[in-house]
Amino acid sequence: MTLRLARTLLLSACAAGPLAAAEKVPEAALEEARKASSELVTGVRSELLKAIDASGPLRAIVVCKYTVPEIASALSRKYGARVTRVSLTPRNPSLGWGDAWEQKVLMDFDERVARGEKAEALEHAEVVVEPAGRYLRYMKALPMQSPCMHCHGPVEQISEPIRQQLAHDYPHDKATGLALGRVRGAVTFKKPL
Ligand code: HEC
């Protein structure tokens, strides 16, 4: 291959964008991914707000630590998919890191917010071929909203008891310092096609 041809191919690959979908996403699979994601968002939100109202944000940490992974696990069983939450700056290194595809989508979400798009409107779906087969992969951004600020906002705005509890439970926490409207992470859905 000549150098010029290689350069042209490289440029056209970049022009197509890192997230260019190769295959059309089946509508029914996309609808299912949207439904599962919205069930996760609604379930987490209602448990979190209930706990904050009943016992305050410090006690609500328990909801994020134990109840949310249970909800995600129940939805994964129900849909036969991997349904969970990931972030570029996770609090829980076991559940919170995204894989390479998820990191790419999260970086794209951040760029789109920086260009002025609303975080709550961001989603991305793609058919991805992996060594074990074809998967529908879907992500829906989770924006920083006011209740999130108790535990993910700028450190100086987080109350001392919450700061201490988070430092105790998550000594490698990367999930603070975010402003309202930024992308905190995303729901991710992955199911074999
Ligand atoms: C009461 C404190 C608290 C509040 C309020 C809170 N979170 Fe969290 N969040 C946590 C904790 C604790 C974890 C780690 C859970 C675990 O151990 O898996 C977490 C984890 C996450 C994760 C998974 C990735 C990671 O960092 O490990 C996402 C995404 C997330 N939170 C988004 C949000 C959003 C969006 C809001 C607002 C709607 C919110 N959180 C409100 C405490 C909180």
Side-chain angles (χ1 to χ4, degrees), residues 48 52 57 60-61 64-65 69 85-87 89-92 95-96 142-143 145 147-148 150-152 166 170 175 184-185:
L48 195 58
I52 293 176
I61 291 178
C64 300
K65 198 171 169 185
R85 301 184 309 170
V86 289
S87 169
T89 52
R91 176 155 286 161
N92 179 350
L95 296 173
L142 292 169
Q145 296 166 326
C148 323
H150 290 298
C151 304
H152 296 296
L166 291 175
Y170 303 93
R184 165 69 263 273

Side-chain angles (χ1 to χ4, degrees), residues 44-45 48-49 52 56-66 68-69 84-97 141-152 162 166 169-170 173-175 182-187:
V44 170
R45 205 182 155 75
L48 195 58
L49 295 181
I52 293 176
L58 179 62
R59 299 277 307 151
I61 291 178
V62 177
V63 168
C64 300
K65 198 171 169 185
Y66 300 112
V68 175
T84 188
R85 301 184 309 170
V86 289
S87 169
L88 289 174
T89 52
R91 176 155 286 161
N92 179 350
S94 149
L95 296 173
W97 286 117
L142 292 169
M144 280 293 287
Q145 296 166 326
S146 50
C148 323
M149 300 301 278
H150 290 298
C151 304
H152 296 296
I162 290 184
L166 291 175
D169 291 356
Y170 303 93
D173 189 12
K174 293 178 187 299
R182 293 286 306 278
V183 174
R184 165 69 263 273
V187 177

Side-chain angles (χ1 to χ4, degrees), residues 134-172:
R134 284 164 68 249
Y135 298 87
L136 181 271
R137 302 208 67 177
Y138 171 82
M139 285 174 74
K140 168 96 184 128
L142 292 169
M144 280 293 287
Q145 296 166 326
S146 50
C148 323
M149 300 301 278
H150 290 298
C151 304
H152 296 296
V155 179
E156 61 282 4
Q157 290 174 27
I158 298 179
S159 76
E160 187 54 30
I162 290 184
R163 240 183 341 209
Q164 279 179 14
Q165 189 67 48
L166 291 175
H168 175 270
D169 291 356
Y170 303 93
H172 302 281

